[in-house]
């Protein structure tokens, strides 16, 4: 997710970027205009200015 751009996936095989960092359930984090919110069943990240972002869970994902 990049500011002011549509979300997209990066195929990185079995690698996860920042895998050592976790966002506890019910918490959120922001970096500039990007904000992520964690829940037990999903995580949602979005650009707070444009509304573009994604939600992802074990069952599905959604780009918006």
């Amino acid at each position: 997710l990049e500011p002011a751009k549509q979300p997209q996936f990066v195929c990185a095989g079995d690698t996860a970027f920042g895998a050592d960092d976790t966002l506890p359930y019910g918490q959120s984090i922001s970096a500039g205009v990007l904000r992520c919110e964690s829940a037990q069943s999903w995580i949602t990240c979005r650009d707070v200015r444009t509304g573009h972002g994604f939600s992802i869970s074990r069952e599905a994902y959604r780009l918006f």
Side-chain angles (χ1 to χ4, degrees):
L1 187 60
E2 295 182 60
K5 294 187 177 181
Q6 293 281 342
Q8 61 182 1
F9 280 109
V10 174
C11 183
D14 63 349
T15 302
F17 299 121
D20 295 334
D21 299 327
T22 58
L23 184 60
Y25 298 141
Q27 299 293 310
S28 64
I29 190 169
S30 296
V33 298
L34 303 179
R35 179 176 179 85
C36 292
E37 300 171 352
S38 175
Q40 191 167 0
S41 59
W42 52 264
I43 188 164
T44 297
C45 297
R46 73 180 74 234
D47 179 321
V48 296
R49 286 192 184 148
T50 66
H52 295 306
F54 66 88
S55 292
I56 192 165
S57 69
R58 290 180 187 263
E59 294 82 23
Y61 70 90
R62 182 174 68 100
L63 303 176
F64 51 89

